[in-house]
Amino acid sequence: NPAQAADVLLALGEPAELRAGRAALERAKGLPPAQLALLQKRFDEGLADPAKLAAQRDQRERAQAGDAALRAFGEEKSRIGTLRESEPKRYAAELRALLARYETRLSPGTLQRDYLELGSFLRFRLRDPDAALAAFENARRLDPDRTVDLAALSIADTQRFDKKDARAAAASYRAVLERLHATPLGAPDPRLAAALRRWLGHELAFLEHGRRFSGAIGSADMELAQLWLMIASLQQPLRAPLDDRTLDALSPSQFQIARALPTLFELPPPQMLAFFAKHDPAGYLTASLLAAATARDASPFLKAAAETFFHERGVRRPSADPRYASPEKTWSAFLGAAKNGSAAAMLDCFTVEMQEKLGPLFRKMSREELRSVGDSFVGFALGESYGEFREATVVRRQNERRMGGMMTFVNEGGSWKIASM
């Protein structure tokens, strides 16, 4: 078969062999003209750029080797997995050796999650924080450019609770925070980055200054609670029931909260609050989780625990601001603030994430420049609504041109704020 022979030569042949194959095509009989032309073109391309052809071969060979290594890794990992419950120390030792052996054979991202899971197992099951830190460091080394650095967060949590090293934990939190601040505003999920910055700020305030969280909790904070639970989802869940003995035996860690949910919310209020106090001394994460949980249909236990916590910590949920009772009123407030040249009042019409994005720009502008921003809007019309969001179309005038654009409002506890524009 000429096509199969061509595939073999192009995959394995040297330039001299390609030239011989090209010549053989010229002598071939019975090939349809279209097939002959296609095969000749493939040989001509290979002969015209041998370096490119060699690179393609190397890529195919690496992919084939990678597939074989991944299969072998998966088989060995499955075998080791049978030891997890019966021989936990042997399981950890063999998994650690397996990951080290395959670091040069598999892509870094393939092994990062395995190192994170190994670190959690070493920390919570075997109570070996030093070995856990080594596993987390390996995970971090394999993907040093990750914006949301789960390995660094795991390291910080271990330094903070297991090693009792607040200074080292704060440094690790700050490393994550600096990475988030360095993330360009146009990068994916700016809301995610802003939510994590708020959480890390509260943890640092507690570690460095002993300040426990107190203040208002809004929808952005409740979104953070859901985001944090997703981040912590790799932790192995605790098995129910969560009796006093099980709870007392848990080493302190914010990740224990994720492991205990949703059973945690079924505990009597005193036990629930004692659990949160042990594993989240700063209290911001607790406040966000309780606010998010009680916003849905909550059990009497959960409601009672939330009310007690909010009262004792001075946590308040935002009340609806009449100035922002509808998207139209918020837009009117924005235009009025722009007319007065007030950057602070303009920013108050936006969500926290948008305030972080637009704040530096608005604060640099003069009052006259802010007024010109407001004057440039000459049209506004509400569009579709979906859940807590409402779209709108705006028209801006620039010189003699008029341009349309979309914006989104979000209902935050009864107050409509601008989420994008």
Side-chain angles (χ1 to χ4, degrees):
N1 186 314
Q4 292 177 343
D7 288 339
V8 172
L9 278 175
L10 289 166
L12 303 174
E14 297 298 326
E17 294 169 318
L18 295 184
R19 284 192 290 271
R22 177 69 167 77
L25 279 176
E26 299 288 349
R27 300 190 297 271
K29 297 180 180 180
L31 283 177
Q35 184 182 12
L36 176 62
L38 178 60
L39 292 174
Q40 289 173 331
K41 180 181 179 183
R42 292 178 64 194
F43 276 105
D44 290 341
E45 289 174 348
L47 289 166
D49 193 348
K52 180 179 178 181
L53 186 63
Q56 291 172 343
R57 290 175 184 166
D58 290 343
Q59 185 176 7
R60 282 195 301 270
E61 289 172 0
R62 286 195 300 270
Q64 291 169 355
D67 290 343
L70 188 59
R71 286 194 298 272
F73 173 78
E75 292 171 359
E76 184 66 7
K77 183 181 172 185
S78 296
R79 182 195 66 78
I80 294 171
T82 61
L83 305 172
R84 184 182 180 108
E85 298 303 322
S86 59
E87 299 182 69
K89 289 185 178 181
R90 181 183 168 191
Y91 162 79
E94 292 198 16
L95 179 58
R96 183 165 42 207
L98 177 69
L99 297 178
R101 193 164 66 249
Y102 274 85
E103 275 195 23
T104 59
R105 301 176 62 185
L106 297 177
S107 63
T110 303
L111 297 179
Q112 192 201 38
R113 184 177 181 88
D114 289 302
Y115 268 121
L116 288 170
E117 291 179 347
L118 173 62
S120 297
F121 185 83
L122 289 164
R123 183 184 179 193
F124 295 125
R125 178 69 182 276
L126 298 185
R127 299 294 182 95
D128 189 344
D130 292 322
L133 284 170
F136 293 143
E137 288 288 0
N138 282 329
R140 188 179 189 185
R141 174 175 52 80
L142 289 173
D143 193 0
D145 298 324
R146 182 180 290 269
T147 299
V148 182
D149 194 342
L150 179 54
L153 293 176
S154 300
I155 290 168
D157 193 87
T158 308
Q159 292 166 329
R160 175 182 182 179
F161 291 101
D162 294 63
K163 304 296 290 183
K164 305 294 189 294
D165 192 340
R167 180 175 296 181
S172 295
Y173 281 135
R174 286 205 174 278
V176 180
L177 190 60
E178 288 169 7
R179 176 69 58 80
L180 290 169
H181 279 302
T183 301
L185 292 175
D189 288 327
R191 289 171 66 86
L192 179 151
L196 288 174
R197 286 197 292 267
R198 283 196 304 278
W199 168 54
L200 291 169
H202 290 300
E203 300 307 325
L204 286 166
F206 176 78
L207 282 173
E208 297 177 338
H209 307 289
R211 289 201 298 267
R212 297 180 186 274
F213 175 73
S214 179
I217 285 288
S219 61
D221 305 294
M222 290 186 271
E223 288 177 6
L224 175 277
Q226 302 303 317
L227 168 64
W228 185 87
L229 289 176
M230 286 191 293
I231 290 174
S233 63
L234 71 86
Q235 310 299 323
Q236 186 178 23
L238 294 170
R239 295 173 181 172
L242 297 182
D243 53 28
D244 290 342
R245 183 177 178 181
T246 301
L247 295 175
D248 291 341
L250 294 175
S251 58
S253 164
Q254 287 187 317
F255 286 110
Q256 299 285 26
I257 299 172
R259 298 183 71 207
L261 288 176
T263 311
L264 173 60
F265 287 149
E266 299 172 5
L267 295 176
Q271 285 179 287
M272 193 188 311
L273 293 175
F275 184 94
F276 277 120
K278 176 180 178 179
H279 300 286
D280 180 41
Y284 171 71
L285 187 58
T286 300
S288 301
L289 287 167
L290 289 175
T294 53
R296 303 185 292 272
D297 293 332
S299 69
F301 278 0
L302 178 56
K303 289 180 180 178
E307 292 304 319
T308 300
F309 180 85
F310 293 160
H311 175 73
E312 291 179 349
R313 290 293 188 94
V315 176
R316 60 188 184 278
R317 302 176 196 180
S319 56
D321 190 324
R323 295 175 298 171
Y324 311 125
S326 67
E328 298 97 326
K329 289 189 175 182
T330 300
W331 184 241
S332 178
F334 172 78
L335 295 179
K339 184 177 181 180
N340 292 328
S342 172
M346 291 170 70
L347 289 170
D348 196 49
C349 300
F350 291 89
T351 61
V352 172
E353 294 81 11
M354 287 294 288
Q355 289 175 16
E356 290 188 5
K357 180 178 179 179
L358 297 175
L361 173 64
F362 281 13
R363 294 187 187 99
K364 288 180 182 177
M365 298 172 71
S366 67
R367 296 175 72 88
E368 287 303 319
E369 288 173 328
L370 291 172
R371 291 190 184 102
S372 68
V373 169
D375 291 340
S376 70
F377 290 101
V378 295
F380 175 82
L382 286 176
E384 296 294 325
S385 62
Y386 42 100
E388 297 180 343
F389 295 89
R390 186 77 186 268
E391 291 182 341
T393 303
V394 292
V395 179
R396 293 191 70 180
R397 181 181 61 234
Q398 290 189 347
N399 299 323
E400 300 302 319
R401 297 177 58 195
R402 294 194 175 200
M403 298 180 295
M406 298 297 296
M407 63 189 307
T408 305
F409 294 84
V410 60
N411 188 338
E412 296 190 336
S415 297
W416 288 87
K417 295 297 184 81
I418 303 171
S420 68
M421 71 179 303

